[in-house]
Amino acid sequence: MLRSKILFVLLIAASLYAQVIPISEARSKSKGDSVNVEGIVFTTDYNLSSTTSSSYYIYDETGAINLFVSKGKKDLKIGDKVRVGGKIDIYNGLTEVIALPANIEVLSSDNPEPEPIVVTMDDVNNGEALEAKLVRINNVYRVGTTAWPQAGKDANLIFNTDPQATTGITIRIDKDTDIDENNEPNWPSDVIGVLTQFTTTGTGGYQILPRFYKDFLVTVSNEKVNKDKLTYSLEQNYPNPFNPTTKITFNMAKAGYVKVSVFNIMGQEVAVLFNGYAKEGQNVVNFNAAGLNSGIYFCKMEANEFKSMIKMMLIK
C-alpha cells in the first residue's frame, strides 16, 4: 500500500513537471506560484561576479522573463533552450522565475536570439508591456552628469535623442558585462538591451540593460566633417524604381529637428520615415513600401525653413 502511494505521488510530480506553460502565462501568475516554462537564453549572466546566484533572461514566442538562479550558479550560454521549474517572484517591480540549479535543464543549444524591438523613449518610460524583452533604441546621446563607468563599476546613465537635454531614459551599465571595460562609444549610437524595471515605489523605473559592448552600435563616422560644405539637402532615393524597399539620404547643415515623410499622388501622407532630432551631416533612412500599391510617391523633407521633395517609383 505504501509503495503504491509513493508511486502515485511520483506520477503526480512528473505530470506537473511536464505541464510547461508559455512565458506570457507565467508572467501573469502571482508571486509564489509554481511554474514550469521553456525558453531560449538571450543574455549573459548579469550576476557573473556572484558565487551564489545567476541572472539571465529567456524568451519564447509569447514573451520573455528574468531567470534568477538561487542557491548556486548555473552556467548557461546564449542560445541554450532550457526547461525551468521554479516560482514566480517580483523584485523591485521586475517579474522573475526563481529556480534552483538542479531544476534547470538544457534541452538544446545554438538557438536563435530574438530580434530586437525598435522602441522610442516613450515606450521605455511606459515599458510594462515590453518588460524583459530585447529592445533597440536608435540615435541616442548620453546626457546629464553621470560619467561612463570605470572598469568594475556599475552606472546608471541618462540618454536622450536630443543632445541638449538634461533628462531622459536610463541605460544601466552592469559591471558583470564587458561594457565597463571598454571606452565610451561615440554618440549618437543605437543601443540594444533588455528592457528591465527597478523601482521600490511600485511603478516606473524602466531602463535598458545592454548585454555587452557590441550592443552599442555607433551611427556616426569618426572622420572629421568639413562643416563649411554642409548644407540641407534631400537626395534621390536608391534604388529607384524600387520594390519594395529603398534608401533615402538627407543631409543636415547642423543638428536639429527634421521630418521626412512620404505622400501618394493624391497628396495623402502614407509614411513618416523620420520625425525627430537628426545629427549634423548625412543621415540615411529606409522606406519599406510592402503594404502600398505600385505607383508614384513623393518624399518630403522639412528642416527649419528648408523644404525639399523627390519623386519615387514603386513597381511590384
Side-chain angles (χ1 to χ4, degrees):
M1 184 65 175
L2 179 60
R3 183 177 179 181
S4 297
K5 287 184 177 180
I6 294 174
L7 180 60
F8 177 77
V9 170
L10 291 175
L11 288 172
I12 291 295
S15 175
L16 287 174
Y17 182 72
Q19 293 175 358
V20 174
I21 63 174
I23 287 177
S24 60
E25 183 179 340
R27 291 185 57 87
S28 69
K29 297 292 186 180
S30 299
K31 182 175 180 177
D33 285 350
S34 296
V35 296
N36 296 301
V37 297
E38 290 182 1
I40 297 171
V41 177
F42 65 96
T43 71
T44 54
D45 181 4
Y46 285 113
N47 279 19
L48 187 63
S49 60
S50 171
T51 59
T52 59
S53 65
S54 296
S55 179
Y56 300 93
Y57 286 81
I58 62 174
Y59 83 100
D60 65 10
E61 64 275 10
T62 70
I65 197 168
N66 176 247
L67 169 58
F68 189 85
V69 186
S70 65
K71 299 182 180 179
K73 300 289 289 183
K74 185 71 175 182
D75 183 20
L76 299 174
K77 297 178 176 58
I78 292 177
D80 283 349
K81 183 175 182 179
V82 294
R83 178 177 294 154
V84 181
K87 292 183 180 294
I88 294 296
D89 192 21
I90 309 293
Y91 180 73
N92 284 334
L94 180 67
T95 301
E96 305 174 320
V97 55
I98 298 181
L100 299 174
N103 292 337
I104 302 171
E105 178 186 0
V106 177
L107 303 176
S108 61
S109 300
D110 298 322
N111 293 285
E113 299 178 41
E115 187 69 23
I117 301 168
V118 178
V119 297
T120 65
M121 290 179 55
D122 285 341
D123 294 330
V124 176
N125 288 328
N126 302 280
E128 188 61 30
L130 294 167
E131 186 187 274
K133 294 182 178 180
L134 192 65
V135 300
R136 174 174 179 156
I137 187 164
N138 294 333
N139 291 308
V140 293
Y141 299 80
R142 182 175 66 81
V143 300
T145 58
T146 304
W148 188 261
Q150 297 178 352
K153 300 291 185 181
D154 299 319
N156 291 335
L157 304 180
I158 305 300
F159 287 78
N160 200 302
T161 53
D162 180 356
Q164 305 302 318
T166 57
T167 61
I169 61 169
T170 299
I171 295 181
R172 178 168 176 80
I173 309 302
D174 193 300
K175 65 182 180 182
D176 285 325
T177 66
D178 69 339
I179 301 171
D180 55 291
E181 302 166 5
N182 286 277
N183 294 327
E184 180 172 2
N186 294 319
W187 308 112
S189 177
D190 299 347
V191 182
I192 296 172
V194 184
L195 199 150
T196 68
Q197 187 178 20
F198 190 90
T199 176
T200 57
T201 58
T203 59
Y206 298 106
Q207 57 189 10
I208 294 178
L209 185 64
R211 302 164 299 168
F212 18 68
Y213 188 67
K214 67 180 182 180
D215 277 341
F216 291 83
L217 310 173
V218 176
T219 58
V220 293
S221 170
N222 289 328
E223 296 179 1
K224 292 183 178 180
V225 178
N226 187 342
K227 295 186 177 182
D228 293 335
K229 295 183 179 180
L230 289 178
T231 59
Y232 292 104
S233 65
L234 176 63
E235 299 179 15
Q236 186 64 51
N237 63 303
Y238 180 83
N240 187 48
F242 66 100
N243 176 29
T245 62
T246 187
K247 292 184 180 296
I248 298 168
T249 299
F250 63 94
N251 299 292
M252 299 287 289
K254 61 180 180 179
Y257 285 93
V258 60
K259 182 177 181 180
V260 179
S261 48
V262 177
F263 296 83
N264 61 21
I265 199 168
M266 303 297 293
Q268 299 167 318
E269 187 177 76
V270 296
V272 177
L273 307 182
F274 192 94
N275 189 14
Y277 198 97
K279 70 180 186 295
E280 182 180 76
Q282 187 179 86
N283 297 265
V284 180
V285 291
N286 294 315
F287 175 39
N288 189 333
L292 299 176
N293 295 323
S294 296
I296 295 174
Y297 292 88
F298 299 91
C299 180
K300 183 179 181 182
M301 172 186 174
E302 300 172 275
N304 295 325
E305 300 299 318
F306 175 83
K307 294 182 181 180
S308 183
M309 185 176 291
I310 59 172
K311 185 169 73 172
M312 308 180 294
M313 177 67 75
L314 172 62
I315 299 178
K316 292 187 174 181

